[in-house]
Amino acid sequence: MKKTFPRWLAGISLSAISLAAQATSVVSVSPQGEVARVRQIVVKFDGAVVPMGDPRAAAPVKVQCDNQFVLSQASGRWTGPKEWVLDFADDVPPGVSCSVERVASLKDAAGELVKGGAKFSFTTGGPTVLRAVPSTYQELDTQQYFGLQFNADVIAQTVAASSW
């Protein structure tokens, strides 16, 4: 007598095999590009990378910034099996560039190498004017002087060259 499986059971088996063949990958890294105020980096995966609640799990990425003080005050942690967060102690100041690189040997919870984007970057852009005195809504003298308050240190020659 020939043994047969119900068709729906065969379909489930094939689906399970195709899901097992898909590797976990990086879904998103935030922030990217130019962002003025950065307080944390969030890395998300489409599958479980660590067991839930494992405080000893290593960081899935290497973060490098051209301002090392920013990183010395930061702390990373897994918030779930699919998400890792690096919190900065304060807003990252203007003019800082950072790169986020996936650890090449990173494996998911099933022991398979994680795929997907390997390197991401962001910058906090240049300083901006927070306040100008007097405001431009007042009548101005042709020889007017202005006081400018910036959100970070500036180079006087750069401000002079960029002003008109």
Side-chain angles (χ1 to χ4, degrees):
M1 179 174 199
K2 185 178 178 185
K3 290 186 180 183
T4 59
F5 291 99
R7 287 184 184 168
W8 64 268
L9 184 59
I12 291 174
S13 298
L14 290 176
S15 295
I17 290 170
S18 67
L19 286 176
Q22 293 178 356
T24 298
S25 62
V26 177
V27 174
S28 69
V29 174
S30 178
Q32 290 187 55
E34 186 173 316
V35 182
R37 297 185 67 187
V38 175
R39 196 62 181 259
Q40 71 177 193
I41 296 172
V42 179
V43 181
K44 293 184 179 185
F45 301 89
D46 62 0
V49 178
V50 297
M52 183 61 176
D54 186 355
R56 298 166 296 159
V61 295
K62 295 176 193 165
V63 179
Q64 295 199 338
C65 296
D66 56 12
N67 179 337
Q68 289 303 311
F69 179 74
V70 168
L71 284 178
S72 70
Q73 303 294 312
S75 62
R77 70 189 187 291
W78 285 93
T79 59
K82 299 179 181 182
E83 182 179 87
W84 183 82
V85 174
L86 177 73
D87 289 313
F88 294 104
D90 203 354
D91 286 345
V92 178
V96 174
S97 295
C98 296
S99 66
V100 179
E101 188 172 355
R102 178 179 44 81
V103 173
S105 61
L106 180 64
K107 294 184 178 181
D108 64 13
E112 300 295 320
L113 282 174
V114 172
K115 306 288 184 199
K119 194 162 187 175
F120 307 87
S121 63
F122 68 89
T123 181
T124 54
T128 59
V129 176
L130 296 176
R131 187 172 156 213
V133 177
S135 77
T136 56
Y137 300 108
Q138 299 172 356
E139 190 172 323
L140 301 177
D141 185 302
T142 57
Q143 299 298 314
Q144 186 73 51
Y145 285 90
F146 290 92
L148 301 175
Q149 178 185 8
F150 293 89
N151 65 345
D153 293 337
V154 295
I155 300 168
Q157 294 87 345
T158 303
V159 173
S162 302
S163 301
W164 63 93

